[in-house]
Amino acid sequence: MKVRELTTQFEQFAPQRLAMAGDPVGLQLGSLDAEVSKVLVTLDVRPEVVDEAIAVGADLIFAHHPAMFRPVKNMDLSVPQNAMYAKIIENHITVYAAHTNLDNADGGMNDWLAETLQLVNPVGLVPEKTEAEYLLTVHVSPVYADAVRLAMVGSGAGNIDRYKGTSYEWNGTSWFTPLSGADPELGPVGERTQTDEVAIQARVSDSHVDATVQAVNDVFPGGHPSLQLIPLRGAAKTFYMGRVGDLATPMTARDFAEYCKAIFGVAGLRLVAADPLKMIHRVAVLGGDGGRFYPDAIAAGADAYVTGDVYYHTGHDMLASGLTVVDPGHHIEQICKPKLTELFEDWQLDHKWPIEIVASKLNTDPFTFV
């Protein structure tokens, strides 16, 4: 199969348009039309990761962090980063990155981190992108209802808040008079005719409309579905960066820091807390470099904020605000490796892809606690 087949499926889950402005997501090196038989999933694209890809026989590296954050000014191979690019090309490896689009996607990076923290009733933290919502109704013969319903929800329709693949249907009778040349030909020309039908209805966001309509066309008998697409006023879909929710059991700031250290498996972390004995009930989390969003955590009623790469002066501002902040580092986003691998394996089974997916075994955290 081609790389494009996997990335097209992925971009229904985390479209590139969800990425923050200027974030170089998507294809990094290689070709979407290249053949792929083995995928290596990684947090970072580093020279040692490229060596790992070569060793395991991977022809696609799927990363969270882009390999090329900044334009290359020359290809001087004495520069380690340039030498890495050259090795990727020499070994015919394609590199693809899903960065802030994965951060902002429902069921993506920040949901995985909130799940790790075991937050109760998590909701979005920082609104990033908004898109229109539609109500799609398809009328079909009862015998084809299952195929059409599965095509709709399988292409992204019916995702509402914390529910996936929701739909509603009802039975009815369609009345019509076929005219000469009617296509499809149903009933005698010129005679009043009736037929039993099922109406299947699901909400679909703007980014999934084209894929959903195409999916219905592909399975609909005769290829002539009766579709109604109605815009829903006041029902725009908002995508958020970060999550905020409650702890099942409140704990002190110091105990919460120890809890984070244990669940994220880090050797050390930084705690910003005016009072280590302050009780933590509500927690916000934002993977990566999220220090500048600490006012959003305060506005959401969080007692504590978990994020990485907190700057010195920002830490002072956090301390003055009374917000407890836990910085376990940027590398906790390595959770993407098992989660993306699981996601790809599910799609592999659904689509019968002839590929193997493996998670990188390397730790790419540049920091060591001493």
Side-chain angles (χ1 to χ4, degrees):
M1 63 177 277
K2 296 188 183 299
V3 172
R4 185 183 304 278
E5 190 171 347
L6 187 150
T7 59
T8 298
Q9 177 69 42
F10 177 79
E11 288 178 14
Q12 291 184 33
F13 169 72
Q16 289 193 30
R17 58 177 184 74
L18 294 186
M20 297 180 73
D23 189 15
V25 299
L27 180 66
Q28 305 285 291
L29 291 127
S31 171
L32 294 179
D33 290 318
E35 294 291 329
V36 56
S37 59
K38 183 176 282 190
V39 183
L40 179 70
V41 180
T42 183
L43 174 61
D44 302 297
V45 183
R46 304 303 309 145
E48 60 270 26
V49 174
V50 175
D51 290 339
E52 181 185 25
I54 295 169
V56 301
D59 32 32
L60 172 62
I61 296 175
F62 196 105
H64 178 50
H65 291 138
M68 305 183 77
F69 268 113
R70 298 172 185 82
V72 177
K73 295 182 179 179
N74 58 60
M75 278 301 290
D76 178 355
L77 297 186
S78 68
V79 177
Q81 190 79 359
N82 291 349
M84 182 186 76
Y85 299 149
K87 183 177 283 190
I88 289 169
I89 295 169
E90 287 170 4
N91 287 274
H92 308 288
I93 297 172
T94 298
V95 179
Y96 182 95
H99 192 209
T100 51
N101 54 323
L102 181 58
D103 291 337
N104 292 334
D106 288 344
M109 177 66 74
N110 285 297
D111 279 313
W112 298 334
L113 294 175
E115 177 185 303
T116 302
L117 285 164
Q118 299 183 29
L119 299 187
V120 179
N121 299 321
V123 295
L125 180 63
V126 184
E128 278 292 321
K129 304 282 183 176
T130 301
E131 66 178 3
E133 287 270 301
Y134 296 87
L135 187 64
L136 174 64
T137 305
V138 182
H139 294 266
V140 63
S141 171
V143 70
Y144 298 111
D146 285 345
V148 170
R149 185 192 319 106
L150 291 173
M152 291 170 69
V153 301
S155 55
N159 295 337
I160 305 174
D161 296 328
R162 309 300 295 180
Y163 297 90
K164 181 180 179 180
T166 61
S167 65
Y168 176 74
E169 62 185 61
W170 65 95
N171 297 312
T173 302
S174 290
W175 290 87
F176 50 89
T177 301
L179 302 178
S180 179
D183 183 18
E185 185 178 324
L186 297 173
V189 172
E191 292 187 16
R192 191 71 171 153
T193 304
Q194 70 181 70
T195 185
D196 292 334
E197 286 193 339
V198 174
I200 306 172
Q201 199 170 70
R203 284 175 60 160
V204 57
S205 57
D206 186 60
S207 62
H208 289 102
V209 167
D210 290 345
T212 302
V213 170
Q214 184 60 54
V216 171
N217 279 325
D218 289 344
V219 301
F220 198 90
H224 299 280
S226 172
L227 300 174
Q228 292 178 318
L229 192 64
I230 302 172
L232 297 175
R233 296 182 61 183
K237 168 69 176 176
T238 301
F239 294 90
Y240 294 84
M241 182 170 286
R243 299 292 183 265
V244 59
D246 300 318
L247 291 176
T249 303
M251 60 187 81
T252 66
R254 182 174 295 280
D255 287 343
F256 179 66
E258 292 291 344
Y259 171 69
C260 290
K261 185 176 174 181
I263 63 171
F264 290 123
V266 293
L269 50 70
R270 297 187 296 169
L271 172 64
V272 178
D275 179 7
L277 298 181
K278 172 187 173 182
M279 293 303 296
I280 305 300
H281 300 263
R282 190 163 175 80
V283 174
V285 59
L286 197 155
D289 174 7
R292 65 188 181 279
F293 298 112
Y294 83 88
D296 295 273
I298 295 172
D303 304 304
Y305 180 36
V306 179
T307 194
D309 301 345
V310 173
Y311 301 109
Y312 181 84
H313 297 295
T314 304
H316 280 151
D317 295 337
M318 293 167 165
L319 196 64
S321 74
L323 179 68
T324 294
V325 178
V326 173
D327 181 350
H330 205 125
H331 194 256
I332 64 169
E333 290 189 319
Q334 68 174 329
I335 193 173
C336 72
K337 293 192 290 185
K339 292 295 187 179
L340 284 173
T341 299
E342 180 183 356
L343 188 65
F344 293 165
E345 287 176 340
D346 287 344
W347 293 340
Q348 178 191 30
L349 291 174
D350 291 343
H351 300 286
K352 298 180 172 58
W353 287 342
I355 59 173
E356 182 181 353
I357 302 104
V358 295
S360 172
K361 294 185 167 89
L362 300 180
N363 182 336
T364 54
D365 192 342
F367 302 110
T368 301
F369 287 87
V370 296

